[in-house]
Amino acid sequence: MQKNVTSYEDLEKKFEAAGQPILSILENIHDGFLVMDHQCTIIYLNRVTATHLKIKREEVLGRNLWVVLPNAVNSEFQYQMYKAISLDKASCFESFYEPLQTYFEITVHPTKEMVVIYCKDITERRQSEKLIDHMNYYDMLTGLPNLKLFQDRLEQMMMYSKSHHESIAIMMIDLARLKSFKDPLGFQISDHLLKEIAAKLKELISNNGTVSRMNRDKFVCFFVHSERQRLFKILEKMLSLLSNPILIQGESRLLTPSIGVSMYPFNGETPQKLLSQAESAMTFVKNKGGNQYCFFKQEMERDIRKNYVLMAELSKATLNHEFQMFYQPLFDTKTGHISSVEALLRWKHPVYGYISPYDFIPLAEETGAIIGIGQWVLKEACNQIKDWHSQGIYSCSLSINFSARQLQQEGVVSAVKETILATGIEPHLLKIEVTESVMMVNVETTIDTLYDLKEIGVQIVIDDFGTYYSSLQYLKNFPLDIIKIDRCFIRDMVEHSKEREVVKMIIDLGHQLGMKVVAEGVENDDQYRMLKEYQCDEVQGYLFSKPIPAEEVNHFFI
């Protein structure tokens, strides 16, 4: 021990001989300073070093550095220090000391007599760098890889799969209606929902791929598989996961997932190309109404280019008188006479001819053109009722379809009321049809709007009943007058007892709640006979009439 003290005193004398109060300075700096001999015996360490390492100076002076710091043996710090001593050359490097969970920037300066070590705590700086690095490669909300990291991983996996004869599915997912949750529910809840979706997708893909959140409300993932059947199972689970009702603040709400799939190596050789094709397939699905997945086909890109043209021309279609109204009659099962009519919109495009509403209504929803189109349909329908009045036809009601965006539009109730007053028709002759999926968008707002419409005197119809997640609670809460059974149940009811039971149950349920029940898509006599037997109130379908122009409807009134 005497030798160690002497060494310390010798060091102090050398500092004093230099004419500088160096020890005083070293004791008051914010960084660590340690001196040892070439056998790694500690000669001096300042107060900060002792504090950093959580040791007492008097207990370590004269001891071997590696005895004092056993966790540093065989570390990068030991390697770099011995390298500097052997080369007799100063060295600066960074090292992580695990027991303290601390990053140090270390300078080792060997001389003939001693080795001087200067260390600076850079943990805070490294944590900031890690945060910046994380921000560069990960989505801050969900913690998922961002698109840059996703593409890097996909590229690496493509190289691996090429040599291992595996396929990669790139799946782009659009969650329609997710944006509509934000305003009424607040960003905190919608952010929580995004995190939940991200976690579920990550769990579903597991270690077989990567999930990334793209801009806005889209996700993309890739899935590595050697058997196509595994891919189909994943896609079915994904669709079920994302289309099931989500309980938020005690209310069930629906998303509408659209999933587009491209395949490596069949569809492309670069991440950018595969992502573009997955997006094309996703857009194709979205334009068809969503709630399904679709694999990329070359003709989709042509259809998407066509859709961009249609989207641009939708806003001018009303001014150019390109929209036409067709009407499909409904018949009373007791009398066999026409009882009401459904108005169906058609677009006669100057280049593409007649375009189905299934093709252009989703585009109109996306662009917002649906608001202007909906106002035109409302006026046309009310004017048609007025025209039938002028011909002495007073008892036939007419229904029009409302989309989710129309129903959420501010002032929609006033617009309906003003149009009814302007045309002078009886309000109960106008029926507004909404699908189950439309009703489940912002449920509270939808209920309020439908009650306000009901107060005017119009009838409310729920269309496509049974295709989503029908709930008795919804039927009790919504001001409904009529239930329309979806055609998918009618189509199979003759051959399948399950569908027959569903149809009969819906009819009985509707009657118990004081509602009329309509069956749509009736195409043959057997279906009609069963529906009459089950006491369905009205029927609609090609067995009786396809959608026809207004003037052709008149002969049904004779």
Side-chain angles (χ1 to χ4, degrees):
M1 187 69 185
Q2 184 63 38
K3 181 182 177 183
N4 297 330
V5 174
T6 302
S7 298
Y8 177 82
E9 289 173 347
D10 288 346
L11 181 66
E12 187 175 23
K13 287 176 183 177
K14 288 179 181 179
F15 286 153
E16 287 176 354
Q20 297 287 343
I22 295 178
L23 287 180
S24 176
I25 294 171
L26 292 177
E27 286 300 311
N28 289 285
I29 62 174
H30 296 292
D31 301 320
F33 192 86
L34 183 145
V35 180
M36 63 181 191
D37 62 21
H38 285 259
Q39 285 72 48
C40 298
T41 301
I42 299 172
I43 299 172
Y44 167 78
L45 71 162
N46 68 351
R47 175 182 52 81
V48 171
T49 304
T51 302
H52 272 325
L53 298 178
K54 298 179 181 179
I55 55 179
K56 294 179 180 180
R57 282 195 285 184
E58 60 272 18
E59 292 179 359
V60 300
L61 287 173
R63 297 179 66 189
N64 185 277
L65 178 66
W66 311 121
V67 174
V68 175
L69 302 177
N71 289 290
V73 176
N74 295 324
S75 68
E76 180 70 10
F77 167 55
Q78 187 182 53
Y79 167 75
Q80 292 290 351
M81 197 188 72
Y82 278 142
K83 181 180 176 183
I85 294 171
S86 63
L87 296 175
D88 193 22
K89 186 178 179 182
S91 175
C92 184
F93 55 90
E94 292 181 9
S95 181
F96 177 69
Y97 189 54
E98 191 170 349
L100 301 177
Q101 292 293 298
T102 305
Y103 286 94
F104 291 105
E105 183 180 78
I106 299 171
T107 301
V108 177
H109 188 81
T111 69
K112 289 182 180 179
E113 298 175 341
M114 67 188 77
V115 179
V116 177
I117 301 172
Y118 172 82
C119 58
K120 181 180 181 67
D121 185 344
I122 59 168
T123 305
E124 189 174 328
R125 188 187 83 192
R126 286 295 298 269
Q127 287 174 341
S128 298
E129 289 171 352
K130 284 180 72 174
L131 179 61
I132 293 169
D133 189 58
H134 191 275
M135 291 171 66
N136 285 334
Y137 290 97
Y138 291 88
D139 175 57
M140 294 303 293
L141 176 64
T142 63
L144 294 175
N146 64 13
L147 190 57
K148 175 179 171 57
L149 181 56
F150 176 85
Q151 288 180 293
D152 289 345
R153 289 186 180 178
L154 177 56
E155 194 164 19
Q156 292 172 20
M157 189 53 67
M158 287 163 64
M159 294 171 62
Y160 172 86
S161 298
K162 197 168 188 177
S163 60
H164 287 74
H165 307 292
E166 290 184 318
S167 299
I168 305 175
I170 293 83
M171 297 167 273
M172 192 168 292
I173 307 158
D174 179 271
L175 298 173
R177 302 203 182 116
L178 188 58
K179 291 176 189 174
S180 67
F181 290 175
K182 289 181 181 175
D183 292 335
L185 295 176
F187 280 95
Q188 187 175 358
I189 293 176
S190 63
D191 286 353
H192 175 76
L193 177 59
L194 279 168
K195 290 178 184 177
E196 193 174 298
I197 291 169
K200 288 180 177 179
L201 287 173
K202 188 175 179 181
E203 183 181 1
L204 183 63
I205 296 299
S206 188
N207 296 322
N208 296 303
T210 293
V211 182
S212 170
R213 182 186 174 210
M214 299 183 69
N215 55 343
R216 295 176 291 182
D217 302 319
K218 291 179 184 173
F219 290 83
V220 64
C221 55
F222 67 78
F223 179 74
V224 183
H225 63 284
S226 54
E227 297 177 5
R228 198 170 177 85
Q229 199 60 37
R230 284 189 67 203
L231 173 61
F232 283 115
K233 285 183 180 179
I234 286 290
L235 286 167
E236 290 293 342
K237 285 181 181 178
M238 186 178 292
L239 192 62
S240 174
L241 170 75
L242 298 173
S243 58
N244 279 331
I246 298 167
L247 193 66
I248 302 178
Q249 292 187 334
E251 291 185 2
S252 287
R253 297 173 183 265
L254 277 181
L255 295 171
T256 305
S258 300
I259 306 173
V261 187
S262 64
M263 298 293 298
Y264 173 81
F266 311 108
N267 296 135
E269 292 289 333
T270 66
Q272 294 76 16
K273 183 69 173 175
L274 291 162
L275 282 166
S276 173
Q277 291 172 336
E279 185 172 23
S280 294
M282 180 269 293
T283 303
F284 179 84
V285 172
K286 191 176 179 181
N287 291 339
K288 295 297 181 184
N291 263 335
Q292 55 186 309
Y293 61 84
C294 181
F295 287 82
F296 171 78
K297 296 177 183 176
Q298 202 63 47
E299 56 267 26
M300 287 178 181
E301 293 183 333
R302 182 191 64 238
D303 291 341
I304 289 168
R305 286 193 292 269
K306 175 184 172 182
N307 284 338
Y308 284 134
V309 173
L310 296 180
M311 288 168 77
E313 296 180 354
L314 264 171
S315 58
K316 301 180 291 183
T318 306
L319 295 174
N320 294 340
H321 307 289
E322 294 170 7
F323 287 121
Q324 296 179 11
M325 296 292 282
F326 278 58
Y327 301 89
Q328 189 172 31
L330 285 74
F331 294 86
D332 189 303
T333 56
K334 290 185 177 67
T335 65
H337 296 150
I338 185 171
S339 52
S340 62
V341 174
E342 181 180 1
L344 299 164
L345 184 63
R346 297 291 184 268
W347 182 11
K348 189 176 182 181
H349 192 275
V351 176
Y352 299 114
Y354 279 109
I355 300 173
S356 166
Y358 292 106
D359 292 329
F360 72 81
I361 291 297
L363 302 179
E365 282 265 291
E366 189 173 343
T367 61
I370 192 67
I371 302 302
I373 294 171
Q375 290 171 348
W376 182 85
V377 169
L378 175 64
K379 290 177 182 177
E380 284 291 307
C382 291
N383 282 326
Q384 184 59 59
I385 295 172
K386 183 179 179 182
D387 184 56
W388 282 330
H389 283 181
S390 68
Q391 300 175 49
I393 303 164
Y394 298 102
S395 61
C396 187
S397 59
L398 190 150
S399 63
I400 58 175
N401 294 280
F402 262 37
S403 71
R405 193 155 184 172
Q406 284 176 274
L407 209 57
Q408 303 301 317
Q409 181 72 11
E410 188 176 347
V412 62
V413 178
S414 299
V416 172
K417 187 174 182 178
E418 289 168 9
T419 306
I420 289 173
L421 290 172
T423 52
I425 67 168
E426 292 294 326
H428 73 274
L429 293 176
L430 178 67
K431 296 189 287 193
I432 291 176
E433 294 193 18
V434 291
T435 63
E436 279 187 87
S437 59
V438 167
M439 290 200 313
M440 293 182 77
V441 177
N442 297 337
V443 177
E444 289 182 7
T445 303
T446 300
I447 290 176
D448 291 342
T449 301
L450 291 178
Y451 267 105
D452 290 342
L453 289 169
K454 178 85 168 175
E455 202 169 297
I456 295 172
V458 302
Q459 297 186 67
I460 308 298
V461 183
I462 178 171
D463 195 12
D464 297 340
F465 187 78
T467 53
Y468 282 85
Y469 298 91
S470 312
S471 166
L472 180 59
Q473 192 67 30
Y474 283 123
L475 292 181
K476 288 167 62 179
N477 290 341
F478 283 89
L480 302 173
D481 298 289
I482 299 169
I483 298 175
K484 291 184 80 172
I485 306 172
D486 187 74
R487 65 185 69 246
C488 69
F489 298 108
I490 307 302
R491 182 185 60 232
D492 299 326
M493 66 180 294
V494 176
E495 290 81 14
H496 298 97
S497 59
K498 184 179 179 181
E499 274 67 19
R500 283 199 297 276
E501 288 301 316
V502 170
V503 170
K504 191 175 187 308
M505 180 188 69
I506 294 173
I507 294 171
D508 292 342
L509 178 62
H511 289 163
Q512 287 171 23
L513 294 173
M515 303 175 194
K516 277 188 173 182
V517 181
V518 177
E520 56 184 349
V522 181
E523 297 183 352
N524 59 60
D525 290 324
D526 288 336
Q527 293 168 347
Y528 182 41
R529 177 181 52 77
M530 282 186 180
L531 290 165
K532 286 181 68 175
E533 182 184 328
Y534 296 156
Q535 298 183 349
C536 185
D537 299 291
E538 294 178 325
V539 287
Q540 175 184 10
Y542 276 45
L543 177 64
F544 310 99
S545 174
K546 64 181 182 180
I548 52 179
E551 56 271 17
E552 294 183 29
V553 177
N554 291 349
H555 78 271
F556 286 106
F557 296 116
I558 298 171

